């Protein structure tokens, strides 16, 4: 990478996290995230409330990011922001703010694809974390995304598989809701899964051709199973919670690993990098380690704060695009369905 001295501010507001980060060359100087607790009461993200919270948070979050980085805003070389995909109302807050700040400071504006951000987060300089070599397969798994992407270079990426309905995080969260767990349920299912028997209950895996995923049928299968069992025994959930969680997690991870196996077979690529909130799951981490031994994979998991929605990943893409002179104009617009 270049030896220039480049400071980029990254701004992320695509869903329910308002985030800002300053990167100096490839290193993160600050990474501030204001998570919106308000959605917990609703069991999922409420778009209208998310945009409002972004408006409240964006100025203090950006201010903090610049302050923590120990620089003055006049030292920034460019402003990078998430153009999409995401919730339109949420994206508009970050986009408009980034445009105004870049205009006010008279510095370039850089639009960033959120999904590329999740993938290129692996290129943040961080001690103890190795960067994947090209080409590699990136699997982005979170409450909003489930994709397998073939990455040949920083900006040469092809989506080779994605969900046709729910994201994998939703499979965790919606199953958790059926079981009466709080939102988001992924971490609790993970914790309980470690205490249960993964083979206690069987759920059929959805049949989806090729490298695409489907999780909406899985959620319905969990619902019908629980309804049936609770009818026979009203205490079924309490008596079997750890086993149910272990079985759900086992099935979901099985679905992800089956597709990864197929993807490595089809592409011949054995370097696998994962990102997104679900990459915190211990089941997927163990399964990847297993894959290293069984199939000769090399796997890469970034530092946790760079896997969930964050602005450091937007800042690194901003930095890479800055080096290429790839800037946006002031009339750039947010795009809810932006593709890689
Ligand atoms: O990346 P993220 O913070 O936000 C987006 O959805 O974009 O991911 C949140 C998702 C939620 O669905 C949450 O349940 C899931 O990641 N998650 C987990 C774990 N930690 C977070 N799912 C399973 N096991 C975990 N340990
Ligand atoms: Zn995301």
């Amino acid at each position: 990478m270049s030896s220039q001295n480049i400071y980029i501010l990254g701004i992320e507001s695509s869903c329910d996290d308002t985030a800002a980060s300053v990167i100096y060359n490839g290193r993160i100087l600050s990474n501030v995230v204001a998570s919106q607790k308000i959605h917990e009461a609703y069991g999922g993200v409420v778009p209208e409330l998310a945009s409002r919270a972004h408006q409240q948070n964006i100025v203090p979050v950006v201010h903090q990011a610049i302050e923590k980085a120990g620089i003055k805003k006049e030292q920034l070389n460019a402003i990078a922001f998430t153009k999409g995909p995401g919730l339109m109302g949420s994206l508009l807050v970050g986009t408009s703010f980034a445009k105004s700040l870049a205009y006010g400071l008279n510095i370039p504006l850089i639009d960033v694809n959120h999904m590329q951000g999740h993938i290129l987060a692996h290129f943040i300089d961080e001690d103890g974390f190795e960067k994947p070599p090209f080409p590699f397969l990136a699997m982005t798994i979170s409450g909003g995304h489930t994709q397998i992407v073939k990455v040949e270079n920083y900006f040469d990426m092809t989506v080779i598989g994605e969900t046709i309905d729910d994201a994998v995080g939703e499979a965790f969260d919606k199953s958790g809701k059926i079981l009466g767990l709080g939102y988001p349920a992924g971490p609790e299912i993970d914790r309980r899964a470690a205490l249960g028997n993964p083979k206690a209950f069987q759920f059929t895996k959805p049949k989806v051709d090729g490298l695409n995923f489907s999780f909406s049928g899985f959620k319905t299968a969990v619902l019908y199973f629980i309804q049936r069992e609770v009818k026979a025994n009203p205490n079924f959930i309490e008596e079997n919670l750890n086993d149910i969680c272990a079985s759900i997690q086992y099935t979901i991870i099985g679905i992800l690993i089956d597709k990864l196996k197929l993807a490595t077979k089809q592409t011949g690529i054995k370097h696998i990098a994962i990102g997104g909130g679900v990459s915190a799951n211990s089941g997927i981490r163990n399964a990847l380690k297993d894959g290293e031994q069984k199939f000769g994979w090399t796997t890469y998991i970034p530092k946790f704060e760079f896997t969930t929605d964050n602005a450091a990943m937007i800042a690194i893409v901003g930095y890479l695009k800055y080096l290429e002179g790839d800037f946006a104009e002031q009339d750039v617009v947010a795009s809810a369905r932006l593709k890689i």
Side-chain angles (χ1 to χ4, degrees):
M1 287 190 193
S2 159
S3 58
Q4 287 169 279
N5 293 325
I6 309 295
Y7 291 98
I8 311 267
L9 170 70
I11 295 176
E12 154 65 32
S13 73
S14 65
C15 189
D16 61 339
D17 295 302
T18 318
S21 164
V22 175
I23 191 169
Y24 172 67
N25 296 337
R27 257 187 191 275
I28 297 299
L29 299 182
S30 63
N31 187 28
V32 178
V33 184
S35 298
Q36 304 176 0
K37 294 270 170 249
I38 185 146
H39 307 286
E40 283 171 12
Y42 298 88
V45 177
V46 184
E48 201 73 5
L49 297 178
S51 351
R52 277 183 192 219
H54 282 307
Q55 282 219 307
Q56 283 178 330
N57 294 341
I58 191 125
V59 170
V61 164
V62 168
H63 182 75
Q64 244 188 61
I66 294 173
E67 203 172 71
K68 277 196 180 164
I71 62 162
K72 300 249 169 294
K73 62 183 182 308
E74 289 72 22
Q75 286 175 266
L76 291 170
N77 296 83
I79 313 284
F81 70 98
T82 304
K83 174 181 173 169
L87 302 169
M88 189 41 112
S90 291
L91 290 167
L92 281 175
V93 177
T95 305
S96 307
F97 186 84
K99 282 192 195 193
S100 319
L101 191 56
Y103 188 74
L105 293 170
N106 197 22
I107 53 175
L109 184 63
I110 301 172
D111 57 320
V112 174
N113 180 308
H114 178 91
M115 299 310 295
Q116 286 192 337
H118 273 300
I119 294 168
L120 296 177
H122 286 273
F123 293 93
I124 292 170
D125 286 339
E126 185 68 39
D127 297 339
F129 289 81
E130 218 186 308
K131 295 170 186 159
F134 298 115
F136 66 90
L137 296 175
M139 186 169 73
T140 310
I141 42 178
S142 76
H145 344 283
T146 308
Q147 280 191 335
I148 301 181
V149 181
K150 185 164 117 187
V151 187
E152 301 195 73
N153 213 322
Y154 296 126
F155 299 106
D156 183 0
M157 307 183 178
T158 319
V159 177
I160 56 174
E162 62 190 329
T163 182
I164 56 170
D165 41 56
D166 288 354
V168 59
E170 288 181 277
F172 277 102
D173 298 338
K174 290 180 177 175
S175 301
K177 199 170 179 179
I178 295 166
L179 298 172
L181 306 180
Y183 172 85
E188 186 169 358
I189 293 182
D190 189 4
R191 195 173 53 74
R192 289 186 173 276
L195 309 170
N197 171 8
K199 303 213 170 134
F201 307 106
Q202 266 82 46
F203 300 101
T204 42
K205 291 185 196 163
K207 289 185 182 53
V208 191
D209 283 345
L211 296 172
N212 283 341
F213 300 87
S214 165
F215 289 102
S216 74
F218 173 76
K219 162 196 72 192
T220 315
V222 171
L223 178 67
Y224 288 167
F225 166 77
I226 294 295
Q227 282 176 343
R228 199 177 59 231
E229 296 294 334
V230 166
K231 215 168 174 183
N233 168 14
N235 298 324
F236 177 76
I237 296 179
E238 298 86 272
E239 287 170 11
N240 298 279
L241 193 49
N242 293 344
D243 284 349
I244 303 169
C245 288
S247 303
I248 286 172
Q249 179 163 307
Y250 180 75
T251 312
I252 295 176
I253 301 307
I255 295 168
L256 298 178
I257 294 294
D258 284 354
K259 294 292 178 175
L260 270 183
K261 278 202 248 175
L262 187 60
T264 55
K265 204 167 140 201
Q266 282 186 4
T267 60
I269 300 171
K270 291 187 171 188
H271 295 290
I272 299 170
I274 64 166
V278 178
S279 57
N281 183 267
S282 41
I284 188 77
R285 285 172 179 246
N286 292 337
L288 289 175
K289 274 205 199 89
D290 240 36
E292 296 202 338
Q293 267 153 29
K294 277 197 210 145
F295 315 120
W297 295 351
T298 326
T299 63
Y300 303 83
I301 308 177
K303 196 174 172 191
F304 184 66
E305 62 176 297
F306 303 145
T307 69
T308 56
D309 283 354
N310 67 86
M313 70 185 197
I314 304 305
I316 182 76
V317 181
Y319 174 62
L320 294 167
K321 283 184 117 175
Y322 186 92
L323 296 180
E324 309 237 316
D326 187 354
F327 304 133
E329 298 297 331
Q330 270 287 337
D331 62 358
V332 62
V333 287
S335 169
R337 294 178 185 279
L338 188 66
K339 300 264 182 250
I340 277 185

